[in-house]
Amino acid sequence: MNAIITLTTDFGLADAYVAAMKGVILGINPGARIIDICHSIQPQNVSQAAFVLSTAYQFFPERAIHVVVVDPGVGTDRRAVILRTPLADFIAPDNGVLSCVLPPSSDQPNDDRRRQVALAPGLEAVAITRPEFWRSPVSPTFHGRDIFAPVAARLSLGLSPADFGTPVSALSVLPRHRPCRAADGTLTGHVLHIDNFGNLVTSIKGDDLPDQAIAIEVGSQTISGLSRTYEEGRELLALIGSNGYLEISRKGGSACAFLEAEVGNEVKIGLKGQ
Amino acid sequence: MNAIITLTTDFGLADAYVAAMKGVILGINPGARIIDICHSIQPQNVSQAAFVLSTAYQFFPERAIHVVVVDPGVGTDRRAVILRTPLADFIAPDNGVLSCVLPPSSDQPNDDRRRQVALAPGLEAVAITRPEFWRSPVSPTFHGRDIFAPVAARLSLGLSPADFGTPVSALSVLPRHRPCRAADGTLTGHVLHIDNFGNLVTSIKGDDLPDQAIAIEVGSQTISGLSRTYEEGRELLALIGSNGYLEISRKGGSACAFLEAEVGNEVKIGLKGQ
Amino acid sequence: MNAIITLTTDFGLADAYVAAMKGVILGINPGARIIDICHSIQPQNVSQAAFVLSTAYQFFPERAIHVVVVDPGVGTDRRAVILRTPLADFIAPDNGVLSCVLPPSSDQPNDDRRRQVALAPGLEAVAITRPEFWRSPVSPTFHGRDIFAPVAARLSLGLSPADFGTPVSALSVLPRHRPCRAADGTLTGHVLHIDNFGNLVTSIKGDDLPDQAIAIEVGSQTISGLSRTYEEGRELLALIGSNGYLEISRKGGSACAFLEAEVGNEVKIGLKGQ
């Protein structure tokens, strides 16, 4: 079966951990199409993995199987799960790494705590508990190779999620850190991600912005209004990027280096002239 | 259809941009064989991309489709094109990144300006103008995902280049920077590329060299004659590399680190004893 | 034929060397499944390549073809070989890079010299000597593209190793550097590999350890006993990793950075309280 299996990990490219997973998958489903989403997630950075996954999975064909192994708790009693959505299947530790796949929930307040959130209608999840589908013995330090890879390969052959374990009704979700709107209308978000070009991807969506002309404050700089492309506007510019987020960019250079920016930095949107 | 589609970008490996393109391609042609040529092109370095592409495409089977997305002008009025040659198809912005695929032209002088050069006989090019083959809506900042990927996938299914837009008779070409020969026979070239081993790949081809014994000046060092392999000769050595260019190499080390060399540095060839 | 061909090289990801090999393979066997094991081997680090290969090949399906191109002697009179084992085929320079694939041998003493070791029963090897299966001409600096890739592709189509050259009865093997046991029972090993997480993988196997409680000395630190997972124990911990080696790890951080460790550093195991 030519199912697509994608991999997102923090394994890096200097070890053979990713290859070991691919070998296990191909041993079970020789026809699987294995596609790398990203293996350069910072070690154990669950929220970065959640973000990167969210910018990729929706562009894959329906029923692709997305495996995420950013798993600081490997070998402990943290759960591993399969999540089935109308679009795709996800296999991951239940540590919040699937947060961006789940619909926003009113159970998910804007604070710093990770919590269990009930599954929305139309979603199905199981805890991966049946060892007959795993490699044996299982290394307590490499569930990617010994549990996630064989489960993904067998799911790609047509088994159903329910075959792998027991249903669960809630999944772990990271705090969402939505932008805050002050009484004067100022919107405060933060830098979610910094890409390979040094673009600052912020937590502010295009839909969050007012219709009026805006001024964007980041670091000690103020940017007036939005550009449409990376070539328009002045040296430092803002635009709505390809995933719908407000981005800060620098023409022909790196906004990150120019602003000495970091993930988490504040970005403020005010009305122009305020 | 099992067509081969290769990807060359400056997207790096820490974001999901490359994966998003692969997802789009597989959604249109599930049988496509997608091969990465390189995603570590320096951001917006069109001439590096042109060089790296030139060292790879000729080793692929005929009729492979080579997609290049190094595209500082994305979303502006720069053209995107399909180039069909007797060997392969290329999909790229018309910014000079296909320079090394085109035959050398007398229209292409040895100066610093990029210019439009008429297509040689046997080549066919079209501007990609028909949005019915793109994703919709198109992000003005990610044509790789929304235009290049779906066009490549549909071309791989058997459409012809002419289906995607209007014919063009000239393409943008970068200055070629051919080596210069002085009155005394000295040949001056420069460092085109520095590879993973610290080898300096120069703009001087083996065919450019005189039959007599030569001396190669680079930085403050002089190398006497050519070696055949990286193990022959002294610590610093020169040889004709696997793509036909003169290379400066250091046995068991990095010529780049030893010489503190950069792309663009001069390399001079004289006759020995001069 | 859908044979699996894996690639392990020191080519890095910023050049097109790996892609050129893939293009050559697909031109000969369009159905080959090409899987990257690792291309970030340090330039010419044969022992690192041997280790990384050993942690991956055993997880691939039987009869996969593993190509290793870490080849400081490319173009010299060093041999290139095909090794057939009951599990898989290997194609590599005969420089010791296949050491970890071969069974331990009494001919392989614990010193610093690489030597030829007779093949164990059940193994078959040939020197790659028949140029009719290579690209022509062969670059003396890139046998990966011109010899290893076409030989792998043709082997994947069903030729037998013997078709490619003359049988050999011994292969080059690196010194194995087994842990030493002192008269008082203390075991001294060293750091074999440092992974992406900063874990120190040592040359000490779980089977080497005594049944009693142990103390592990590394740098100026002493670790008491083994943990089961990366989350258990104190900040600095030791466990048996997913390839069976004793690893030194730091909870939520990098043991390598914390200990300023390097490959080759000593690690000592004593009985607790000694």
Side-chain angles (χ1 to χ4, degrees):
Chain A
M1 305 248 310
N2 296 312
I4 291 171
I5 297 174
T6 80
L7 304 180
T8 302
T9 78
D10 57 359
F11 293 165
L13 297 172
D15 298 299
Y17 298 134
V18 174
M21 288 184 64
K22 293 181 181 176
V24 170
I25 290 170
L26 293 173
I28 295 170
N29 181 358
R33 302 288 309 259
I34 308 173
I35 303 287
D36 300 305
I37 288 185
C38 183
H39 299 293
S40 304
I41 302 298
Q42 287 160 359
Q44 314 182 342
N45 192 329
V46 172
S47 68
Q48 185 191 8
F51 176 79
V52 168
L53 175 68
S54 79
T55 64
Y57 81 88
Q58 54 192 304
F59 302 106
F60 278 82
E62 281 189 31
R63 305 268 51 87
I65 297 169
H66 302 285
V67 181
V68 190
V69 193
V70 178
D71 191 8
V74 60
T76 66
D77 60 1
R78 70 95 186 84
R79 291 194 303 198
V81 294
I82 302 173
L83 169 65
R84 171 157 284 184
T85 76
L87 178 63
D89 290 330
F90 299 85
I91 301 178
D94 184 24
N95 60 11
V97 79
L98 299 180
S99 298
C100 298
V101 171
L102 298 169
S105 156
S106 56
D107 291 1
Q108 187 187 4
N110 208 351
D111 65 19
D112 280 341
R113 290 164 41 217
R114 181 163 60 183
R115 66 194 67 201
Q116 292 280 316
V117 170
L119 283 179
L123 303 183
E124 173 192 355
V126 302
I128 298 172
T129 53
R130 295 186 51 192
E132 61 266 43
F133 297 114
W134 309 348
R135 289 187 79 244
S136 174
V138 168
S139 162
T141 64
F142 196 1
H143 287 190
R145 179 190 72 193
D146 295 343
I147 298 182
F148 294 105
V151 166
R154 293 195 166 96
L155 191 64
S156 78
L157 287 172
L159 291 191
S160 95
D163 295 326
F164 295 92
T166 51
V168 299
S169 58
L171 289 180
S172 193
V173 168
L174 300 174
R176 196 169 280 252
H177 294 307
R178 296 278 305 144
C180 291
R181 198 176 301 274
D184 67 352
T186 307
L187 196 65
T188 303
H190 68 282
V191 176
L192 265 187
H193 180 76
I194 299 175
D195 79 5
N196 184 57
F197 300 93
N199 297 319
L200 313 182
V201 182
T202 75
S203 61
I204 300 167
K205 287 276 206 176
D207 299 342
D208 297 329
L209 296 176
D211 289 332
Q212 297 113 300
I214 58 172
I216 298 134
E217 276 179 55
V218 53
S220 59
Q221 305 282 320
T222 302
I223 301 166
S224 176
L226 293 180
S227 300
R228 206 181 59 88
T229 75
Y230 295 120
E231 285 280 294
E232 284 169 29
R234 306 210 173 206
E235 285 217 334
L236 201 67
L237 58 94
L239 49 65
I240 305 302
S242 56
N243 290 300
Y245 297 97
L246 180 76
E247 284 181 27
I248 313 298
S249 183
R250 186 153 187 252
K251 197 178 341 189
S254 161
C256 174
F258 181 71
L259 295 168
E260 297 180 357
E262 292 177 7
V263 168
N265 284 174
E266 269 196 1
V267 178
K268 281 195 184 183
I269 313 287
L271 293 187
K272 216 157 149 179
Q274 269 191 332
Chain B
M1 305 248 308
N2 296 311
I4 291 171
I5 297 176
T6 80
L7 304 180
T8 303
T9 77
D10 57 359
F11 293 166
L13 297 173
D15 299 298
Y17 298 135
V18 173
M21 288 184 64
K22 293 181 181 177
V24 170
I25 290 170
L26 292 173
I28 295 170
N29 181 357
R33 301 289 307 261
I34 307 175
I35 304 287
D36 299 305
I37 288 186
C38 183
H39 300 295
S40 304
I41 301 296
Q42 288 161 358
Q44 313 182 343
N45 191 330
V46 172
S47 67
Q48 185 191 8
F51 175 79
V52 169
L53 176 67
S54 79
T55 64
Y57 81 88
Q58 53 191 306
F59 302 105
F60 278 82
E62 282 190 30
R63 304 269 50 87
I65 297 169
H66 303 286
V67 181
V68 190
V69 193
V70 178
D71 191 8
V74 61
T76 67
D77 60 2
R78 71 95 186 87
R79 293 193 300 199
V81 295
I82 303 172
L83 168 66
R84 171 157 284 183
T85 75
L87 179 63
D89 290 330
F90 299 85
I91 303 180
D94 184 24
N95 61 10
V97 79
L98 299 181
S99 297
C100 297
V101 171
L102 298 168
S105 157
S106 56
D107 290 0
Q108 187 187 4
N110 207 348
D111 66 17
D112 279 341
R113 290 163 42 217
R114 181 162 60 184
R115 66 195 66 201
Q116 292 279 316
V117 169
L119 282 178
L123 303 183
E124 174 192 352
V126 302
I128 297 171
T129 53
R130 295 184 52 189
E132 62 266 43
F133 296 114
W134 309 346
R135 290 188 79 244
S136 175
V138 168
S139 163
T141 65
F142 195 3
H143 286 191
R145 179 190 70 195
D146 295 342
I147 299 182
F148 294 106
V151 165
R154 294 196 166 96
L155 190 64
S156 78
L157 287 172
L159 291 191
S160 94
D163 295 326
F164 295 92
T166 51
V168 298
S169 59
L171 289 179
S172 193
V173 168
L174 301 174
R176 196 168 280 251
H177 293 307
R178 296 279 304 143
C180 293
R181 198 175 299 275
D184 68 352
T186 307
L187 196 64
T188 303
H190 69 281
V191 176
L192 266 186
H193 179 77
I194 298 175
D195 80 5
N196 183 57
F197 299 92
N199 298 319
L200 312 181
V201 182
T202 75
S203 61
I204 299 168
K205 286 275 205 176
D207 300 342
D208 296 330
L209 297 178
D211 289 331
Q212 297 115 298
I214 58 172
I216 298 134
E217 277 178 53
V218 53
S220 58
Q221 304 282 319
T222 302
I223 301 166
S224 177
L226 293 180
S227 300
R228 204 181 61 89
T229 76
Y230 295 121
E231 283 280 294
E232 287 170 26
R234 306 209 173 208
E235 284 216 334
L236 202 68
L237 58 93
L239 51 63
I240 304 304
S242 58
N243 290 300
Y245 297 97
L246 180 77
E247 284 181 26
I248 312 298
S249 183
R250 186 154 187 253
K251 200 179 336 191
S254 161
C256 173
F258 180 72
L259 295 168
E260 298 180 357
E262 292 177 7
V263 167
N265 284 176
E266 268 196 3
V267 178
K268 280 196 185 181
I269 313 289
L271 294 186
K272 215 158 150 179
Q274 268 191 337
Chain C
M1 306 247 309
N2 295 313
I4 291 172
I5 297 175
T6 79
L7 303 179
T8 302
T9 77
D10 57 358
F11 294 166
L13 296 172
D15 299 298
Y17 298 135
V18 173
M21 286 184 66
K22 293 181 180 176
V24 169
I25 290 169
L26 293 172
I28 295 169
N29 182 357
R33 303 288 309 260
I34 308 173
I35 304 288
D36 299 304
I37 288 185
C38 182
H39 300 294
S40 304
I41 302 297
Q42 287 161 357
Q44 313 183 342
N45 192 331
V46 172
S47 67
Q48 186 190 8
F51 175 80
V52 169
L53 175 67
S54 79
T55 65
Y57 81 88
Q58 53 192 307
F59 302 106
F60 279 82
E62 282 191 30
R63 305 268 52 87
I65 296 169
H66 303 286
V67 181
V68 189
V69 193
V70 178
D71 191 8
V74 59
T76 65
D77 59 2
R78 71 94 187 86
R79 293 193 302 199
V81 294
I82 303 173
L83 169 65
R84 172 157 284 183
T85 76
L87 179 64
D89 291 329
F90 299 86
I91 302 178
D94 182 24
N95 61 12
V97 80
L98 299 180
S99 298
C100 298
V101 171
L102 298 169
S105 158
S106 57
D107 292 1
Q108 189 186 2
N110 207 350
D111 65 17
D112 280 343
R113 291 161 42 214
R114 179 163 62 185
R115 65 195 66 202
Q116 292 280 316
V117 170
L119 283 179
L123 304 183
E124 173 192 353
V126 303
I128 298 172
T129 53
R130 294 185 53 191
E132 61 266 42
F133 296 114
W134 309 347
R135 290 188 78 245
S136 175
V138 168
S139 162
T141 65
F142 195 2
H143 287 190
R145 179 190 71 195
D146 295 342
I147 298 182
F148 294 105
V151 165
R154 292 195 167 98
L155 191 63
S156 77
L157 287 171
L159 291 191
S160 94
D163 295 327
F164 294 92
T166 51
V168 298
S169 57
L171 289 180
S172 193
V173 168
L174 300 174
R176 197 170 280 250
H177 293 308
R178 297 278 304 143
C180 292
R181 198 176 299 275
D184 67 351
T186 307
L187 196 64
T188 303
H190 68 282
V191 176
L192 266 186
H193 179 77
I194 298 174
D195 80 3
N196 184 58
F197 300 92
N199 297 319
L200 313 182
V201 182
T202 75
S203 59
I204 299 167
K205 287 275 205 176
D207 299 342
D208 297 329
L209 296 177
D211 288 333
Q212 297 113 300
I214 58 172
I216 298 135
E217 277 179 52
V218 53
S220 58
Q221 306 283 319
T222 302
I223 302 166
S224 178
L226 293 180
S227 301
R228 206 181 60 88
T229 75
Y230 295 121
E231 284 281 294
E232 286 170 25
R234 304 208 174 209
E235 285 217 333
L236 200 66
L237 58 94
L239 49 65
I240 305 302
S242 58
N243 290 299
Y245 297 97
L246 179 77
E247 284 181 25
I248 312 299
S249 182
R250 187 155 187 252
K251 200 179 339 190
S254 160
C256 173
F258 180 72
L259 295 168
E260 299 181 357
E262 293 177 7
V263 167
N265 284 175
E266 269 195 2
V267 178
K268 280 194 187 183
I269 313 288
L271 293 186
K272 218 158 150 179
Q274 270 191 331

